[in-house]
């Protein structure tokens, strides 16, 4: 199990990301637009830099839904490798079975 504080930190980052998502998109459009002037572009870049760091989507970390483990995460299942193995052994994942030879 991951530390509760780490899981809570990730949830806080997710809330901050969703709160500032529209503002980030708006500022990035101004920066990318060829029609915007250099002053507007510079102002938009400065406002984007002044947003909280946790508002950036790249700061998010995928975590297992069961254990909170950040490594060995399978995006398709939302589980870490060891939880995926246990769920497959119990037959809880449709269409997935452990290989044997």
């Amino acid at each position: 199990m991951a530390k509760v504080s780490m899981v809570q930190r990730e949830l806080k980052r997710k809330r901050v990301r969703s709160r500032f998502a529209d503002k980030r998109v708006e500022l990035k459009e101004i920066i990318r637009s060829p029609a915007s002037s250099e002053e507007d572009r510079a102002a938009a870049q400065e406002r984007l830099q002044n947003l909280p760091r946790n508002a950036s989507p790249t700061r998010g970390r995928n975590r297992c839904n069961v254990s909170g483990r950040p490594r060995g995460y399978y995006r398709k299942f939302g589980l870490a490798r060891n939880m995926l193995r246990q769920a497959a052994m119990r037959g809880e994942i449709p269409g997935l079975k452990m290989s044997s030879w």
Side-chain angles (χ1 to χ4, degrees):
M1 289 293 289
K3 288 171 59 173
V4 176
S5 62
M6 300 303 279
V7 175
Q8 292 302 315
R9 182 185 298 168
E10 202 57 49
L11 292 175
K12 180 181 174 185
R13 284 182 178 153
K14 191 178 286 189
R15 287 192 301 267
V16 172
R17 259 195 318 268
S18 64
R19 193 170 67 205
F20 288 100
D22 296 334
K23 186 176 276 280
R24 284 183 62 84
V25 168
E26 175 186 319
L27 291 173
K28 284 191 165 275
E29 282 297 320
I30 293 170
I31 293 168
R32 282 193 210 112
S33 174
S36 61
S37 67
E38 288 297 321
E39 295 85 21
D40 292 341
R41 196 170 288 135
Q45 283 176 345
E46 189 172 335
R47 285 177 44 207
L48 186 65
Q49 288 174 354
N50 289 334
L51 291 179
R53 283 186 170 189
N54 287 336
S56 175
T58 57
R59 287 182 66 98
R61 178 87 174 160
N62 291 330
R63 288 189 173 267
C64 176
N65 292 331
V66 177
S67 65
R69 181 181 168 85
R71 302 202 177 198
Y73 176 82
Y74 284 84
R75 188 178 293 174
K76 183 175 181 179
F77 303 105
L79 298 172
R81 59 181 174 77
N82 46 3
M83 293 297 136
L84 178 64
R85 181 178 170 83
Q86 289 175 5
M89 293 285 217
R90 291 190 300 259
E92 294 175 353
I93 301 175
L96 185 71
K97 63 178 183 176
M98 299 299 293
S99 64
S100 61
W101 58 90

